[in-house]
Amino acid sequence: FFFQDPAATEIYTLSLHDALPISAVVAGLLGSRSSGASAVEEDSPPRIRALPTRWGVPLLMLFYLAGAAAILWSFDANARTRLEISYYTQCGKWNVVLERARRLPPARWTCYDMHDVTQALYHSGRLLDEMCSYPQTRDVDSLLLEHVYGNRLETGRADLKRAGVYFELGHVNRALSGAHAAREDLGEHPEALRLLAKTYIVKGQTQMARSCLRALRKNLLYRNEANDWLDRLEADPEMTSDEEIRRVRSFMPRTDPFYGTLDVSEHGGALQLLLRANPHNRMAFEYAMAYYLLTRQLDKLVGMIARLGDFGYNEIPRHCQEAVVLYQRANRNQNVNLYGKRISDETRNRAREFFHACAPYVTDRRLDRDRASEALAQQYGKTYFFYKTFYFCGSGPKPLQADAVTGASR
């Protein structure tokens, strides 16, 4: 449990019905010893005797407190924070996700933490300004969690998170494929069933949606929600009154491919497909910009600067400004069109300071990345200059890839 970091809906506490038999046995054993009774005959069943009231209750309280303390002492603080990040991501409480994320030591981040924080940054309108303020590494696809390997629980969890993002983006067929893969790995997981139901509703396959909702109804925690969806489907089979369903339908591309049926091997191609289907798909635009930043495709990012005005940007976001400066530095003879926008003096000064700070670690035109990154992380780790140079960012050491597999901390 502690190392697999399950979803919040998989966490179940010890019930009173589970605890009472344990306490009764302990009480009986203590009571039989205190009474001085003779040994029980071998062929007779053991009898449980009550503790004297004057000291039985305090002993039981002590027993419960000792058990609670043992649980708390054995619980990893980082694992608890991860569970909270995952839970608040499911609830859509994005500011709380970011607040909890700041509690995690930078070296202990997993791919799931990076994914959830990236999603929270988008929904809070800070993705292209603050993405590098949190741990990222080129070894992890924090946008869509591709290439996450491990046991069935790990791959199923990644499939479920990826499918949820695809659903938001409007890639309905990919969302459907991912949700089915998650269901295969995780079983009748309520989040997978709910996502499958919503995806089938968007596609107009209400009978399949009802089947998923009836399966979801068997889960006590989701029974009321499932019944509500079934009632709404009965009244409005197309669910035209649901804002989320209408929004996702408006984002759906006319040629929404399953994996392998179209050359969208990189996220950039898939996101561009969404933008062609609906030029006002803000999530697809910002995820495409973030993807070009994380994969260091600065030419493609610079080519999308013209689209910033379509989404209400009055100025170039901070990390995009830093990327443009790096692009101009590498292409000094090329005139970059910023479409009436400008690079701030603060960004240009920060770039000069960063490259000046890197100079002492250059020998024979080669940068000692290990020494330089360790020395500069605290001051420049939250900039795209740092990420582009050292392949990770955040004001701390690089996140450990091994931790992304197990979810465990030291």
Side-chain angles (χ1 to χ4, degrees), residues 235-282:
D236 180 14
E238 296 298 320
M239 293 292 286
T240 55
S241 60
D242 188 275
E243 181 179 353
E244 182 184 27
I245 300 298
R246 290 201 313 270
R247 178 181 59 80
V248 173
R249 280 177 178 154
S250 72
F251 290 162
M252 287 174 60
R254 293 182 179 179
T255 55
D256 180 11
F258 285 99
Y259 288 109
T261 60
L262 187 67
D263 185 15
V264 287
S265 56
E266 65 168 11
H267 298 331
L271 294 167
Q272 291 294 343
L273 179 69
L274 288 167
L275 284 171
R276 288 198 296 270
N278 187 330
H280 304 292
N281 189 336
R282 187 184 186 95

Side-chain angles (χ1 to χ4, degrees), residues 265-270 272 275 285 288-293 295-307 320 323-324 327 331 334 339 384:
S265 56
E266 65 168 11
H267 298 331
Q272 291 294 343
L275 284 171
F285 173 77
M289 296 289 274
Y291 173 73
Y292 294 139
L293 285 170
T295 55
R296 305 185 302 159
Q297 299 184 60
L298 303 189
D299 55 335
K300 294 183 178 180
L301 181 136
V302 169
M304 292 185 68
I305 294 294
R307 296 291 312 276
C320 297
V324 170
Y327 183 81
N331 301 272
Q334 181 177 342
Y339 299 91
Y384 185 70

Side-chain angles (χ1 to χ4, degrees), residues 152-168:
R152 291 174 67 90
L153 178 63
E154 294 296 327
T155 56
R157 184 181 177 194
D159 286 334
L160 184 55
K161 285 181 175 289
R162 184 186 312 116
V165 173
Y166 274 132
F167 182 80
E168 277 195 84

Side-chain angles (χ1 to χ4, degrees), residues 6-27:
T9 53
E10 298 177 29
I11 301 169
Y12 299 95
T13 56
L14 188 69
S15 71
L16 184 61
H17 293 286
D18 297 323
L20 283 176
I22 300 172
S23 63
V25 171
V26 174

Side-chain angles (χ1 to χ4, degrees), residues 77-89:
N78 292 336
R80 174 175 179 168
T81 303
R82 290 191 187 98
L83 288 174
E84 291 176 336
I85 290 173
S86 180
Y87 170 73
Y88 288 119
T89 297

Side-chain angles (χ1 to χ4, degrees), residues 86-309:
S86 180
Y87 170 73
Y88 288 119
T89 297
Q90 292 180 20
C91 297
K93 297 183 178 180
W94 307 115
N95 289 329
V96 182
V97 171
L98 297 176
E99 187 274 326
R100 293 297 191 274
R102 287 190 285 269
R103 299 182 184 181
L104 274 180
R108 309 312 306 170
W109 278 54
T110 70
C111 57
Y112 304 113
D113 305 321
M114 296 179 195
H115 172 83
D116 291 345
V117 165
T118 299
Q119 198 174 355
L121 286 170
Y122 163 72
H123 283 287
S124 57
R126 293 183 263 176
L127 180 59
L128 301 179
D129 286 299
E130 298 184 23
M131 182 174 65
C132 293
S133 297
Y134 298 86
Q136 297 278 355
T137 171
R138 70 171 182 176
D139 301 327
V140 171
D141 175 15
S142 63
L143 294 175
L144 289 166
L145 288 178
E146 297 285 359
H147 313 303
V148 174
Y149 304 108
N151 55 35
R152 291 174 67 90
L153 178 63
E154 294 296 327
T155 56
R157 184 181 177 194
D159 286 334
L160 184 55
K161 285 181 175 289
R162 184 186 312 116
V165 173
Y166 274 132
F167 182 80
E168 277 195 84
L169 286 166
H171 256 308
V172 176
N173 282 345
R174 288 194 172 187
L176 186 64
S177 176
H180 274 298
R183 188 180 184 183
E184 181 178 347
D185 286 333
L186 303 177
E188 299 295 271
H189 193 290
E191 295 295 331
L193 290 171
R194 180 167 62 177
L195 182 57
L196 280 170
K198 291 197 296 185
T199 305
Y200 280 125
I201 291 172
V202 169
K203 292 171 67 69
Q205 300 177 16
T206 55
Q207 198 60 36
M208 294 295 293
R210 288 191 178 95
S211 176
C212 293
L213 290 171
R214 283 193 290 268
L216 181 63
R217 188 168 55 184
K218 297 176 183 178
N219 187 299
L220 293 177
L221 297 177
Y222 289 78
R223 178 171 296 171
N224 291 338
E225 179 181 356
N227 286 330
D228 179 62
W229 276 94
L230 287 168
D231 292 341
R232 292 165 63 192
L233 269 176
E234 191 67 29
D236 180 14
E238 296 298 320
M239 293 292 286
T240 55
S241 60
D242 188 275
E243 181 179 353
E244 182 184 27
I245 300 298
R246 290 201 313 270
R247 178 181 59 80
V248 173
R249 280 177 178 154
S250 72
F251 290 162
M252 287 174 60
R254 293 182 179 179
T255 55
D256 180 11
F258 285 99
Y259 288 109
T261 60
L262 187 67
D263 185 15
V264 287
S265 56
E266 65 168 11
H267 298 331
L271 294 167
Q272 291 294 343
L273 179 69
L274 288 167
L275 284 171
R276 288 198 296 270
N278 187 330
H280 304 292
N281 189 336
R282 187 184 186 95
M283 186 175 186
F285 173 77
E286 293 198 6
Y287 264 56
M289 296 289 274
Y291 173 73
Y292 294 139
L293 285 170
L294 292 173
T295 55
R296 305 185 302 159
Q297 299 184 60
L298 303 189
D299 55 335
K300 294 183 178 180
L301 181 136
V302 169
M304 292 185 68
I305 294 294
R307 296 291 312 276
L308 286 171

